[in-house]
Amino acid sequence: MTNDLLRQRRNLIVICCILIFLKFSEIQISKFAILGIEFSNFKNPESIYLAIWIGWAYFLIRYYQYFIQEGFPNFKSELSKAIETRSTPLISNMVFKYQPKVVSRDVSYQMLKNWGWIYYGSIDNDKDEHGKDGKVSGVNVENYQITLPQYRFYPLLTKCFLHIVFNRSAFSDYILPILLAFFVVYYCSTGWQGSLVRSVVLITT
């Protein structure tokens, strides 16, 4: 993770936590102080919340820009590595169950997807129904193809995604800040003095 992305991630998480804290604690702003100067006659406290929401929107946009350039490709790469590593033996086992005489070859999930879920291989007719050599010598090979249902890979994709979420840092590094920002929209949009709806109304009126 680059320093620029790390900085935008930190800013977004901090301002999200501030908004969640303000909503949960039900803080009512009645006065404002800056640089040691206190303004007790503060007639429009909603403007503070408006400034926080503007900051939230800015940090979200900035993080999104870096996320698209760096975060999402890295997360996708980690997920793809997990899928490719685990899919190759699964595909071999699936094909062998359909056709024990098939000649073993390494086919990954992405390769099979590019082939339209059709496995292209070869059959060694010198093997018996258990996949073992039936003859001492001789070559008797023919082309073979079989369609592997895409739904058979759904459990694998689920396991790989959960593996990335819980066992790798890519999810917490790149995806979690986005989810936190969405949660802020859901949790802090209505029902309190500094809600997003009231801040939008304050701008438009």
Side-chain angles (χ1 to χ4, degrees), residues 18 22 25-33 39-52 192-194:
I18 290 174
L22 291 175
S25 60
E26 298 182 355
I27 292 178
Q28 300 291 325
I29 297 179
S30 58
K31 54 185 178 180
F32 176 65
F39 303 88
S40 57
N41 189 18
F42 198 49
K43 295 183 179 180
N44 192 10
E46 287 83 1
S47 60
I48 293 294
Y49 297 115
L50 175 61
I52 295 176
W192 65 300
Q193 182 187 18

Side-chain angles (χ1 to χ4, degrees), residues 13-24:
I13 291 176
V14 168
I15 200 165
C16 284
C17 291
I18 290 174
L19 284 166
I20 293 172
F21 170 75
L22 291 175
K23 167 68 183 297
F24 182 77

Side-chain angles (χ1 to χ4, degrees), residues 26 31 34 40 59 64 77 89 99 106 111 138 177 182 191 200 203:
E26 298 182 355
K31 54 185 178 180
I34 184 172
S40 57
F59 290 136
Y64 173 78
S77 175
Q99 178 52 264
D106 292 335
M111 187 183 300
F182 288 156
V200 172
I203 295 177

Side-chain angles (χ1 to χ4, degrees), residues 11-12 15 49-61:
N11 292 339
L12 180 60
I15 200 165
Y49 297 115
L50 175 61
I52 295 176
W53 279 112
I54 292 174
W56 172 86
Y58 171 78
F59 290 136
L60 177 60
I61 292 173

Side-chain angles (χ1 to χ4, degrees), residues 71 74-75 78 164 168-176:
N74 288 346
F75 177 80
E78 286 288 335
I164 296 299
R168 295 292 182 268
S169 63
F171 181 82
S172 59
D173 284 344
Y174 306 118
I175 307 298
L176 194 59

Side-chain angles (χ1 to χ4, degrees), residues 8-202:
Q8 302 305 328
R9 176 180 179 270
R10 181 184 63 246
N11 292 339
L12 180 60
I13 291 176
V14 168
I15 200 165
C16 284
C17 291
I18 290 174
L19 284 166
I20 293 172
F21 170 75
L22 291 175
K23 167 68 183 297
F24 182 77
S25 60
E26 298 182 355
I27 292 178
Q28 300 291 325
I29 297 179
S30 58
K31 54 185 178 180
F32 176 65
I34 184 172
L35 298 178
I37 303 175
E38 184 174 293
F39 303 88
S40 57
N41 189 18
F42 198 49
K43 295 183 179 180
N44 192 10
E46 287 83 1
S47 60
I48 293 294
Y49 297 115
L50 175 61
I52 295 176
W53 279 112
I54 292 174
W56 172 86
Y58 171 78
F59 290 136
L60 177 60
I61 292 173
R62 291 290 292 166
Y63 179 77
Y64 173 78
Q65 293 171 342
Y66 282 95
F67 171 77
I68 291 298
Q69 297 173 27
E70 177 188 345
F72 182 73
N74 288 346
F75 177 80
K76 185 178 179 181
S77 175
E78 286 288 335
L79 183 59
S80 297
K81 288 179 183 178
I83 294 174
E84 296 299 286
T85 301
R86 300 185 180 201
S87 64
T88 301
L90 174 63
I91 293 172
S92 297
N93 291 336
M94 291 172 61
V95 173
F96 185 79
K97 289 181 180 179
Y98 285 111
Q99 178 52 264
K101 296 183 179 181
V102 70
V103 177
S104 177
R105 64 180 301 190
D106 292 335
V107 176
S108 66
Y109 176 86
Q110 187 61 46
M111 187 183 300
L112 188 66
K113 183 178 179 181
N114 293 338
W115 290 349
W117 307 107
I118 300 176
Y119 177 93
Y120 296 94
S122 302
I123 297 176
D124 185 356
N125 289 317
D126 288 341
K127 292 184 177 181
D128 60 20
E129 65 274 9
H130 301 293
K132 298 180 179 180
D133 289 334
K135 297 182 179 180
V136 176
S137 61
V139 177
N140 188 6
V141 178
E142 62 181 83
N143 293 329
Y144 173 77
Q145 68 182 52
I146 184 174
T147 300
L148 299 179
Q150 185 177 358
Y151 70 85
R152 294 285 300 274
F153 295 93
Y154 292 164
L156 171 69
L157 298 178
T158 302
K159 290 179 181 179
C160 290
F161 181 78
L162 293 177
H163 170 72
I164 296 299
V165 169
F166 293 106
N167 299 327
R168 295 292 182 268
S169 63
F171 181 82
S172 59
D173 284 344
Y174 306 118
I175 307 298
L176 194 59
I178 294 287
L179 296 180
L180 182 61
F182 288 156
F183 175 75
V184 166
V185 173
Y186 165 77
Y187 181 69
C188 302
S189 290
T190 58
W192 65 300
Q193 182 187 18
S195 67
L196 178 59
V197 173
R198 293 188 63 173
S199 297
V200 172
V201 171
L202 183 64

